[in-house]
Amino acid sequence: MSELDRRIFLKLGAAAVIGTTLAPGITLFQAFAQDETEGRTSSKDRWGMVIDTNKCTADCTECTAACRTENNVPLFGDPRYDGHWIRKVTVTPKTDGAHSRSLPLLCNHCEHPPCQHVCPVAATFTREDGIVMIDKHRCIGCRYCMIACPYKARTFVFKNTEKWSNPDVPKRGKGVVEKCTFCAHRIDKGQIPSCVEACNKSGEKAMVFGNLNDPNSEIVQYIREHAPKGLREDLGLEPKVFYKGI
Amino acid sequence: MGGKGAIAIVVALIGLIAAPLLYTAAGNGLFNKPPKPELTLPAGGGKCIEPTEFMRKNHMTLLVHVRDDIVRNGAHKPKYHIEHCKTCHTKRAEFCDKCHNYVGVKPECFDCHYLP
């Protein structure tokens, strides 16, 4: 091998090393890897919601109605069979009965979801962007998750729904557990959940939805300013739905 | 007598027992081969994403694979998706049900998913 050849060989080798590791954690091959992850949920996102209970009025059910039409959540007229993805509850302090609050309760999309831990068939999973979802193809309907959830956010599908109110979203077959998905199908399209949209439309504007990982997002600014609390934070589940004023 | 007579009696008995069963089976058309489904291509004249023979054998594998990818990994733009099929094959009765009825397969997809 001549001197020139060796020099070129060494240069190429050095270039290859530099090319693969520009800096710790940053490599040129990310450029190729990005093609595979394009059009997928990103782990950079962390979706969350803030609900201002001061603005939420007791007799307003815009969010629950919007959720039912958007996600084909059945309403049979029999409370034993009705599904609930989001429901209005009234909380009354034990010390003072006069100051009760009405607030919507939905899946809190915990960072450490107990429903996922207890699922025997791994039907409940956390998406890359932190949304806790149920793979209904896999769910066997054992209802462990319903017992594990401290927010009572899950309901069992006892009956088949007859019609789709929104054909873009699948119905649920009899015998699986269903719950709020943060309208994942809408988030994938770049929209906000239908309950938040309905709340904004109704003029109450009690709900704020956004990316918790984006420091400039509306929700992060709101949390910085008002410091809303999650429900039962003592459980250490790190819920991503926050409530102001309770 | 002896052997021959016994065989004759057995055959007669089998015939007697089988007669009503055969009669009912014939009445229900179990001996007639069902007519092969007549498949018509959709009017659009588009091109299938894979050759027809491949799709006939493997469409269920593609759909299950893409199902897991969409549900679990949140793939927004998968290569194979029933949405592609729906652009040309607009009617489920023509597209899915004809063959599925012929071979007696009952997929549960459309209990929950919408395809007109």
Side-chain angles (χ1 to χ4, degrees):
Chain A
M1 188 185 276
S2 72
E3 185 65 24
L4 194 66
D5 279 351
R6 187 189 289 174
R7 198 173 287 168
I8 289 170
F9 176 77
L10 289 173
K11 269 185 185 170
L12 281 175
V17 170
I18 293 166
T20 44
T21 52
L22 293 170
I26 301 172
T27 58
L28 272 188
F29 291 111
Q30 267 187 339
F32 302 105
Q34 265 174 357
D35 291 339
E36 281 177 28
T37 53
E38 198 199 324
R40 278 164 200 273
T41 49
S42 164
S43 54
K44 287 173 192 160
D45 298 331
R46 224 74 191 152
W47 301 107
M49 190 186 280
V50 177
I51 293 161
D52 187 348
T53 53
N54 296 323
K55 289 182 184 168
C56 185
T57 45
D59 52 349
C60 174
T61 52
E62 290 287 331
C63 52
T64 52
C67 181
R68 281 191 192 285
T69 18
E70 175 69 28
N71 294 307
N72 305 311
V73 184
L75 194 63
F76 297 108
D78 187 337
R80 288 179 299 172
Y81 306 130
D82 290 346
H84 296 286
W85 284 23
I86 177 169
R87 62 207 162 90
K88 286 294 289 286
V89 294
T90 311
V91 284
T92 314
K94 279 178 187 168
T95 48
D96 179 7
H99 292 94
S100 63
R101 290 234 183 274
S102 173
L103 50 100
L105 193 63
L106 66 159
C107 173
N108 280 243
H109 296 275
C110 309
E111 199 63 44
H112 309 292
C115 50
Q116 184 183 345
H117 291 301
V118 298
C119 183
V121 290
T124 300
F125 62 97
T126 310
R127 249 167 52 141
E128 285 280 300
D129 53 1
I131 299 178
V132 179
M133 286 188 36
I134 309 168
D135 186 351
K136 280 109 182 172
H137 305 108
R138 197 182 271 207
C139 177
I140 55 169
C142 73
R143 289 170 262 181
Y144 268 129
C145 52
M146 288 174 65
I147 300 163
C149 178
Y151 306 110
K152 221 177 168 186
R154 293 171 163 245
T155 40
F156 187 69
V157 184
F158 283 99
K159 282 182 178 181
N160 284 331
T161 330
E162 290 299 317
K163 280 179 183 169
W164 288 265
S165 50
N166 177 12
D168 291 340
V169 180
K171 299 188 295 186
R172 269 71 53 189
K174 189 167 66 177
V176 297
V177 172
E178 59 177 344
K179 73 163 189 70
C180 160
T181 60
F182 258 177
C183 284
H185 59 284
R186 289 172 64 98
I187 292 175
D188 290 346
K189 285 187 233 159
Q191 297 167 313
I192 55 170
S194 62
C195 52
V196 183
E197 198 178 78
C199 193
N200 287 343
K201 253 187 205 167
S202 75
E204 300 227 335
K205 293 187 179 165
M207 291 163 126
V208 181
F209 181 83
N211 189 353
L212 296 172
N213 272 3
D214 177 6
N216 300 319
S217 65
E218 190 191 352
I219 187 167
V220 172
Q221 305 289 345
Y222 194 96
I223 289 172
R224 269 198 199 131
E225 197 176 326
H226 300 285
K229 288 226 157 55
L231 297 177
R232 288 302 304 274
E233 278 186 339
D234 56 314
L235 294 171
L237 308 173
E238 295 181 30
K240 291 201 276 287
V241 177
F242 302 94
Y243 290 86
K244 187 197 160 198
I246 51 169
Chain B
M1 248 322 254
K4 272 187 185 173
I7 288 168
I9 290 168
V10 167
V11 167
L13 276 175
I14 289 173
L16 208 65
I17 293 164
L21 298 175
L22 292 172
Y23 182 74
T24 333
N28 289 341
L30 290 185
F31 296 125
N32 310 333
K33 245 190 168 180
K36 278 212 164 186
E38 285 174 29
L39 300 173
T40 45
L41 282 171
K47 208 181 164 197
C48 209
I49 194 159
E50 294 285 343
T52 314
E53 282 306 313
F54 179 85
M55 289 309 282
R56 252 179 217 163
K57 272 187 186 169
N58 299 308
H59 64 278
M60 63 297 275
T61 324
L62 296 180
L63 286 176
V64 165
H65 178 75
V66 88
R67 178 193 88 183
D68 290 342
D69 210 24
I70 293 172
V71 175
R72 297 259 164 187
N73 308 330
H76 307 162
K77 297 165 193 164
K79 188 185 173 194
Y80 303 104
H81 196 297
I82 201 161
E83 292 294 329
H84 300 320
C85 312
K86 273 160 80 175
T87 52
C88 301
H89 303 276
T90 45
K91 280 182 187 163
R92 193 173 107 214
E94 296 284 319
F95 181 41
C96 310
D97 292 353
K98 259 189 182 173
C99 289
H100 284 163
N101 289 342
Y102 177 67
V103 293
V105 177
K106 286 176 188 163
E108 292 169 331
C109 311
F110 307 110
D111 291 358
C112 301
H113 293 274
Y114 183 78
L115 191 65

